[in-house]
């Protein structure tokens, strides 16, 4: 497990894909009003360095205790959405629309994903002012998996997807792997 400060220092990839305008305190207040939650300080610490974008390859996966539709032993974390409204880029502010579109539970704040699978801040137990857990939501199979009790722990347990055995079928979800 890495220390949060060490991960934060090398968290972001060099790409500008998905990067929103620099984060301001007003943008944070507006986002918390729109989303009706208090965003975790660990998330805001990362977004103050860079407001969303691609995660460095060193931190692009999270080991799981059970198989998911993505993999036998991990889920991807290739990007972290920022706060903003740049055209053509998803943002934490898109969460209300995405929850409705994909018929997902609420209150959650989506931080990464593509529609079929998401990683989100799950406020259902802690309430809007509490510290949300980080949960994997698989819409195709209607399953959920709590990954970490809070975002700081989640970040400290991120690793590179290269440490996982890709075996037959590469990094395809188990439902799409080649049969031996």
């Amino acid at each position: 497990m890495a220390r949060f400060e060490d991960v934060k220092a090398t968290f972001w990839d060099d790409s500008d894909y998905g990067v929103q305008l620099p984060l301001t305190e007003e943008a944070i207040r507006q986002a918390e009003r729109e989303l009706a939650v208090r965003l975790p300080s660990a998330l805001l610490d990362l977004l103050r360095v860079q407001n969303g974008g691609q995660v460095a390859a060193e931190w692009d996966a999270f080991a799981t205790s059970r198989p998911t539709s993505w993999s036998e032993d991990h889920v991807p974390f290739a990007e972290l959405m920022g706060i903003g409204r740049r055209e053509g880029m998803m943002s934490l502010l898109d969460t209300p629309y995405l929850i409705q579109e994909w018929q997902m539970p609420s209150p959650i704040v989506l931080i990464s994903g593509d529609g079929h699978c998401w990683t989100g801040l799950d406020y259902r137990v802690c309430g809007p002012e509490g510290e949300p857990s980080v949960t994997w939501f698989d819409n195709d199979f209607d399953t959920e998996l709590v990954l970490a009790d809070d975002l700081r722990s989640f970040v400290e347990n991120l690793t590179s997807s290269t440490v996982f055995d890709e075996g037959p079928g590469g990094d395809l979800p188990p439902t799409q792997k080649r049969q031996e």
Side-chain angles (χ1 to χ4, degrees):
M1 180 169 84
R3 287 178 352 109
F4 180 82
E5 291 302 318
D6 294 336
V7 177
K8 184 174 98 170
T10 59
F11 185 76
W12 298 105
D13 184 297
D14 293 334
S15 168
D16 63 354
Y17 180 78
V19 179
Q20 301 286 337
L21 296 175
L23 190 62
T24 64
E25 293 307 308
E26 177 56 31
I28 293 168
R29 285 190 296 275
Q30 180 64 29
E32 289 180 331
R33 277 192 300 270
E34 284 185 39
L35 298 170
V37 297
R38 183 184 52 80
L39 295 170
S41 61
L43 173 65
L44 299 176
D45 288 347
L46 291 170
L47 297 181
R48 285 182 178 111
V49 173
Q50 178 176 299
N51 191 8
Q54 300 297 300
V55 173
E58 186 177 356
W59 312 114
D60 69 351
F62 189 90
T64 59
S65 58
R66 68 177 206 234
T68 67
S69 65
W70 179 264
S71 169
E72 294 293 323
D73 55 7
H74 72 284
V75 294
F77 194 71
E79 73 279 333
L80 173 62
M81 290 190 278
I83 297 171
R85 298 263 187 221
R86 289 189 74 185
E87 189 170 334
M89 294 184 191
M90 285 200 314
S91 161
L92 298 177
L93 301 176
D94 294 316
T95 293
Y97 164 76
L98 294 168
I99 286 174
Q100 182 179 7
E101 176 73 19
W102 291 94
Q103 300 175 350
M104 297 180 65
S106 186
I108 60 173
V109 174
L110 301 174
I111 60 173
S112 185
D114 68 1
H116 301 282
C117 299
W118 295 97
T119 301
L121 303 173
D122 191 347
Y123 288 86
R124 293 177 291 176
V125 172
C126 68
E129 295 295 318
E131 188 70 28
S133 61
V134 178
T135 302
W136 168 261
F137 298 92
D138 185 324
N139 290 327
D140 287 342
F141 292 92
D142 196 28
T143 60
E144 300 176 12
L145 176 61
V146 174
L147 301 174
D149 291 338
D150 56 66
L151 189 71
R152 180 173 293 271
S153 299
F154 175 78
V155 169
E156 290 175 339
N157 284 285
L158 287 170
T159 190
S160 173
S161 59
T162 62
V163 303
F164 299 98
D165 178 21
E166 295 185 9
D171 203 22
L172 294 172
T175 56
Q176 296 177 12
K177 289 193 182 209
R178 293 186 296 269
Q179 299 297 315
E180 293 189 41

